[in-house]
């Protein structure tokens, strides 16, 4: 199970600089595709064989200069609830401030491992300043310079050393994992309850781990899958629910541990930044997607035209990824809730699609010949062969070219669209790589 590291601290101590340090190299590899917008707050990284996620709590504050103490306090509480390790960043140049003490007093009460990071230790002399951070009562301050990178390697060793080695849950790998995600009040608990109903026999809690399991098995009406994090959906923290940061933090674990995400939107509201943030997390993790426009019972005008308008709006906001199912449903009246599950099942299968190499070349090569990549400085670009990579998380394809560096994003998108027209890849991301022949 993936670990989650949260970076907390008052503004300007260097949280975002540290976040970039910890995630950058990896980001460059993962984000081969078009740039994603919300890179600052959530990233994935790897260190000595541990893959984990990093969240910069400061990234959620629009204007760092007038953050209220109260908001930082809430963010720290959310971080404690969700993270496996907390990096509490302080600034050796400025020393201890009231806000640092406030944050420290919350962190002292948690069981989650906290690492006190004394940032901006750009030279040895500054190390002596760090001694004053002992007064925070969180043990040894760990001196780094996020700007130069000094000390960050050792810090990462320390971080991964704090991860708990929990046994893997005994899950059947052939059974899909669905996560219901969305912002507060979109109807997540309602739809999960609608699936489960009063019939306790439909779900089984998975035993065998130290932490409360985040999976329940659902096996009825021709469906068999794990619901991820349903306990998390039931347990609500009303105090902080209004914070955008909260709904995103709550979604990370569920998304990371799923195959397909059921993203709940509220039909009575437009698509807002929270929806986009959660969508972005799904994309970054390359999960399958089914969008549910919930509370459809509340929409008076249910004509095909209105549906189409709604659908177009959703696809426009989520572009360039637009090939996913959208279901207009009501968790309250249970209208089309099984359709949601059918779609999730279909997306799961699409995510495991295998296209035989011969078929792939038969279909794609004539097309490429008819519409070749644009030549570059008079040099012709030829693609002679393509194949699907084995054992990947999502369908991934390699196209071999004489000059791969000149095959640009728009052409890759063209290939992707053509593949989506030919094979059932709805709801799943795919990867297209161009390599040297
Ligand atoms: P945040 O508000 O906590 O996310 O802080 P930022 O990462 O935006 O950093 C605030 C300022 O401190 C920026 O001007 C950074 O360049 C600077 N900064 C961050 N880390 C270091 C460091 O290790 N040394 C020095 N000298 N400056 C740093
Ligand atoms: P969550 O925060 O995403 O888990 O949302 P809840 O399931 O708690 O639902 C929030 C509110 O919306 C509750 O008052 C629900 O009764 C209501 N609600 C959820 N789904 C529907 C729906 O399909 N139609 C209507 N009319 N109300 C709904």
């Amino acid at each position: 199970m993936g670990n989650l590291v949260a970076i907390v601290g008052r503004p300007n101590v260097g949280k975002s600089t540290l976040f970039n340090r910890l995630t950058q190299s990896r980001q460059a590899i993962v984000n081969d595709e078009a740039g994603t917008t919300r890179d600052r707050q959530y990233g994935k990284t790897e260190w000595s064989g541990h893959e984990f996620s990093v969240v910069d709590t400061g990234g959620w504050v629009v204007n760092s200069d007038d953050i209220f103490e109260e908001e930082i306090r809430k963010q720290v509480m959310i971080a404690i609830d969700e993270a496996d390790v907390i990096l509490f960043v302080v600034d050796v140049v400025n020393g201890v401030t009231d806000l640092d003490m406030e944050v420290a007093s919350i962190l002292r009460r948690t069981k989650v491992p906290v690492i006190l990071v004394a940032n901006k230790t750009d030279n040895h002399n500054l190390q002596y300043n760090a001694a004053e951070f002992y007064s925070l009562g969180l043990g040894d301050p760990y001196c780094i310079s996020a700007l130069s990178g000094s000390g960050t390697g050792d810090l990462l060793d320390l971080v991964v050393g704090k991860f708990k080695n929990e046994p893997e849950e005994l899950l059947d790998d052939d059974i899909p994992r669905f996560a219901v995600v969305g912002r507060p009040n979109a109807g997540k608990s309602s739809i999960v309850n609608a699936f489960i109903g009063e019939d306790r026999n439909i779900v089984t809690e998975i035993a065998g781990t130290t932490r409360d399991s985040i999976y329940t098995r659902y096996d009825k009406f021709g469906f068999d899958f794990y619901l991820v994090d349903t306990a998390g959906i039931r347990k609500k923290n009303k105090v902080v629910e209004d914070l955008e940061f909260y709904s995103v933090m709550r979604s990370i674990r569920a998304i990371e541990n799923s195959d397909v995400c059921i993203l709940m939107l509220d039909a009575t509201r437009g698509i807002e930044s929270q929806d986009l943030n959660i969508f972005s997390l799904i994309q970054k993790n390359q999960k399958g997607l089914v969008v549910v426009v919930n509370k459809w019972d509340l929409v008076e005008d249910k004509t095909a035209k209105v549906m189409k308008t709604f659908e177009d709006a959703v696809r426009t906001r989520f572009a360039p990824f637009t090939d996913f199912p959208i279901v207009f449903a009501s968790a309250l009246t249970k209208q089309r809730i099984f359709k949601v599950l059918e779609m999730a099942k279909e997306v799961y299968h699409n995510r495991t699609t295998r296209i035989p190499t011969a078929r792939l070349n038969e279909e794609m090569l004539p097309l490429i010949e008819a519409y070749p990549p644009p030549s570059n400085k008079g040099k012709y670009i030829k693609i002679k062969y393509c194949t699907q990579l084995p054992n990947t998380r999502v369908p991934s394809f390699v196209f071999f070219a004489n000059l791969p560096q000149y095959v640009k994003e728009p052409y890759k998108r063209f290939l992707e669209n053509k593949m989506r027209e030919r094979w059932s890849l709805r709801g799943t991301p795919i990867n297209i790589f161009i390599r040297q022949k």
Side-chain angles (χ1 to χ4, degrees):
M1 207 179 296
N3 280 285
L4 178 59
V5 175
I7 305 177
V8 305
R10 64 180 176 80
N12 285 318
V13 291
K15 295 185 298 300
S16 111
T17 311
L18 178 59
F19 172 83
N20 286 333
R21 270 267 155 231
L22 300 185
T23 56
Q24 225 159 35
S25 52
R26 173 76 183 166
Q27 211 84 357
I29 303 165
V30 176
N31 270 334
D32 187 68
E33 325 88 76
T36 30
T37 44
R38 308 258 157 186
D39 282 347
R40 198 186 150 189
Q41 303 96 332
Y42 169 84
K44 305 202 78 164
T45 189
E46 197 180 337
W47 187 257
S48 350
H50 299 266
E51 208 193 37
F52 60 97
S53 316
V54 186
V55 170
D56 170 14
T57 58
W60 302 95
V61 182
V62 184
N63 183 356
S64 308
D65 290 337
D66 50 53
I67 299 185
F68 300 107
E69 230 172 273
E70 179 59 16
E71 189 171 356
I72 294 183
R73 207 179 57 81
K74 282 179 177 177
Q75 287 192 346
V76 173
M77 312 248 286
I78 298 164
I80 288 173
D81 267 355
E82 300 297 325
D84 297 289
V85 175
I86 291 176
L87 298 179
F88 174 29
V89 184
V90 291
D91 176 340
V92 287
V93 179
N94 272 313
V96 178
T97 69
D98 289 349
L99 204 45
D100 290 337
M101 292 202 285
E102 167 91 17
V103 172
S105 76
I106 304 169
L107 292 178
R108 278 197 303 271
R109 281 178 262 137
T110 174
K111 288 197 187 76
V112 181
V114 176
I115 300 173
L116 177 61
V117 180
N119 189 35
K120 308 197 187 179
T121 315
D122 299 340
N123 59 58
H124 280 294
N125 287 338
L126 286 166
Q127 276 185 11
Y128 301 115
N129 292 13
E132 72 171 294
F133 294 116
Y134 279 102
S135 67
L136 295 174
L138 289 163
D140 296 342
Y142 200 83
C143 292
I144 67 158
S145 167
L147 204 59
S148 74
S150 94
T152 50
D154 290 343
L155 177 63
L156 278 165
D157 285 340
L158 199 63
V159 168
V160 301
K162 303 259 183 209
F163 292 157
K164 281 167 284 178
N165 266 326
E166 284 180 13
E168 282 289 313
E169 291 188 73
L170 298 171
L171 298 182
D172 190 332
D173 274 338
D174 295 330
I175 296 172
R177 302 167 195 202
F178 300 159
V180 177
V181 295
R183 63 153 171 243
N185 290 317
K188 297 180 296 297
S189 339
S190 303
I191 205 164
V192 168
N193 286 335
F195 294 150
I196 295 171
E198 291 302 300
D199 190 351
R200 294 271 142 225
N201 296 324
I202 293 178
V203 295
T204 333
E205 307 283 336
I206 314 290
T209 44
T210 46
R211 188 195 290 160
D212 287 353
S213 175
I214 63 164
Y215 299 99
T216 41
R217 171 119 175 228
Y218 179 105
D219 187 2
K220 208 154 183 180
F221 308 119
F223 295 104
D224 190 3
F225 58 88
Y226 294 112
L227 265 175
V228 187
D229 197 31
T230 47
I233 286 168
R234 272 180 247 121
K235 189 184 76 184
K236 288 190 182 184
N237 188 336
K238 283 286 178 204
V239 189
V240 289
E241 212 185 40
D242 56 317
L243 286 193
E244 179 159 346
F245 175 61
Y246 176 72
S247 67
V248 173
M249 276 302 267
R250 290 310 300 269
S251 315
I252 291 175
R253 206 180 291 277
I255 291 171
E256 287 181 346
N257 290 294
S258 70
D259 299 306
V260 178
C261 295
I262 297 169
L263 173 58
M264 305 289 289
L265 301 178
D266 184 334
T268 64
R269 304 176 63 159
I271 299 160
E272 290 160 15
S273 67
Q274 289 207 59
D275 304 309
L276 292 172
N277 278 326
I278 296 169
F279 170 74
S280 162
L281 287 176
I282 297 169
Q283 283 250 291
K284 270 195 186 172
N285 282 286
Q286 296 221 305
K287 301 304 184 181
L289 174 69
V290 175
V291 168
V292 176
V293 179
N294 189 38
K295 308 197 186 179
W296 195 240
D297 58 294
L298 294 178
V299 175
E300 276 178 23
D301 185 359
K302 296 188 180 62
T303 53
K305 192 164 164 255
V306 172
M307 272 184 166
K308 179 80 172 67
T309 310
F310 216 112
E311 226 187 287
D312 289 347
V314 173
R315 293 196 204 280
T316 306
R317 295 304 296 276
F318 291 169
F321 182 52
T322 54
D323 186 25
F324 50 82
I326 300 179
V327 184
F328 294 84
S330 167
L332 194 75
T333 69
K334 303 200 176 192
Q335 186 193 17
R336 292 198 200 96
I337 63 155
F338 285 108
K339 178 86 179 164
V340 173
L341 295 180
E342 270 163 26
M343 285 297 136
K345 201 164 132 182
E346 184 187 310
V347 168
Y348 176 76
H349 283 292
N350 293 347
R351 205 161 172 265
T352 55
T353 295
R354 284 222 45 96
I355 305 171
T357 304
R359 280 271 292 138
L360 191 64
N361 284 281
E362 250 168 58
E363 293 274 345
M364 297 305 287
L365 293 185
L367 233 161
I368 291 168
E369 196 149 334
Y371 304 95
S375 58
N376 189 289
K377 297 187 191 106
K379 289 188 186 116
Y380 288 104
I381 296 153
K382 293 189 197 75
I383 294 175
K384 288 252 169 78
Y385 179 72
C386 49
T387 186
Q388 183 171 358
L389 294 169
N391 308 320
T392 53
R393 277 193 293 187
V394 300
S396 301
F397 305 90
V398 187
F399 289 76
F400 291 96
N402 57 335
L403 296 163
Q405 67 274 29
Y406 296 136
V407 182
K408 300 290 187 220
E409 212 49 53
Y411 194 77
K412 284 164 78 176
R413 196 154 298 145
F414 163 78
L415 293 175
E416 172 164 348
N417 290 338
K418 292 299 165 194
M419 293 185 63
R420 288 187 181 281
E421 284 168 16
R422 280 165 179 73
W423 291 282
S424 39
L425 295 166
R426 193 155 68 134
T428 179
I430 66 172
N431 291 317
I432 290 183
F433 303 105
I434 316 286
R435 299 258 169 84
Q436 181 77 48
K437 174 70 193 169

